[in-house]
Amino acid sequence: MKRSHVATKLDLEAFARDGASLAGEWPAADLPRLVESGALDHPAAQWPAVRWSLQGELRQPRAAAAQIWLHLQAQAELDLTCQRCLQAYRQPLQVDRWLRFVSEEAEAAALDADSDDDVLALERHLDAQALVEDELLLALPIVPRHEVCPQPLVAANTELPDVEPVRPNPFAALAALKPSPSKD
């Protein structure tokens, strides 16, 4: 009997045991933490939908317990604010990652530190939407910017020549009133 799996309440162990897969799209506006990263003047309702797919896998290494793996792929396009010109631009994001799940948080931390694999603690029900959002947030550029800004940049530290207005010396008027020394 084939089970149905729900992405927002995924029994990951059963999903991996079944070798199941899920795919779909979510409106970008349904991912609130991702929306917070976007340009303020470009609402997420205008962004393309976030596309994702999940593939569960149960791996059986020799002389070891079965391992739960999840292959996650996601694509999104966000409007971010360029940190050079402060204009909005469209940033494509792509995630293609294998995640291993273990039974306890301490085991996940130990394995994650010693391995090149991403290791997470297994939850009773995984919210795949939150996981996809987490991975897209990690894929964001540290400093969002255009490859080439569409408008010429004005250098912030451009120095103008020091030209001070010529102001009359306030004591010059007093000096003119002072009687000149007589030559007797």
Side-chain angles (χ1 to χ4, degrees), residues 63-77:
Q67 298 174 350
I68 298 169
W69 287 84
L70 180 69
H71 185 212
L72 179 146
Q73 294 177 307
Q75 300 85 33
E77 291 183 29

Side-chain angles (χ1 to χ4, degrees), residues 22-170:
L22 288 173
E25 291 184 349
W26 292 308
D30 287 356
L31 305 173
R33 294 175 295 142
L34 200 59
V35 170
E36 288 177 14
S37 301
L40 295 176
D41 55 344
H42 287 75
Q46 297 174 358
W47 301 350
V50 173
R51 293 182 314 277
W52 56 272
S53 68
L54 303 172
Q55 174 69 45
E57 186 177 307
L58 195 63
R59 296 181 187 172
Q60 185 65 54
R62 288 188 198 164
Q67 298 174 350
I68 298 169
W69 287 84
L70 180 69
H71 185 212
L72 179 146
Q73 294 177 307
Q75 300 85 33
E77 291 183 29
L78 284 69
D79 289 340
L80 301 177
T81 302
C82 174
Q83 297 302 300
R84 282 191 288 213
C85 69
L86 301 179
Q87 300 295 313
Y89 76 102
R90 183 65 49 100
Q91 173 71 51
L93 298 177
Q94 189 109 1
V95 174
D96 188 350
R97 175 162 284 134
W98 280 95
L99 303 164
R100 179 179 170 199
F101 289 85
V102 295
S103 59
E104 295 181 14
E105 189 69 43
E107 182 183 5
L111 288 172
D112 196 37
D114 295 337
S115 172
D116 290 337
D117 298 323
D118 292 318
V119 183
L120 300 172
L122 184 64
E123 301 172 13
R124 175 70 181 125
H125 294 288
L126 176 75
D127 183 353
Q129 188 173 15
L131 181 63
V132 167
E133 185 176 24
D134 288 343
E135 294 300 325
L136 288 170
L137 286 168
L138 290 170
L140 283 171
I142 294 171
V143 179
R145 63 179 183 247
H146 291 103
E147 287 293 322
V148 176
C149 291
Q151 299 173 1
L153 300 178
V154 176
N157 62 354
T158 302
E159 293 184 28
L160 297 175
D162 291 333
V163 177
E164 291 188 29
V166 178
R167 295 186 303 174
N169 185 340

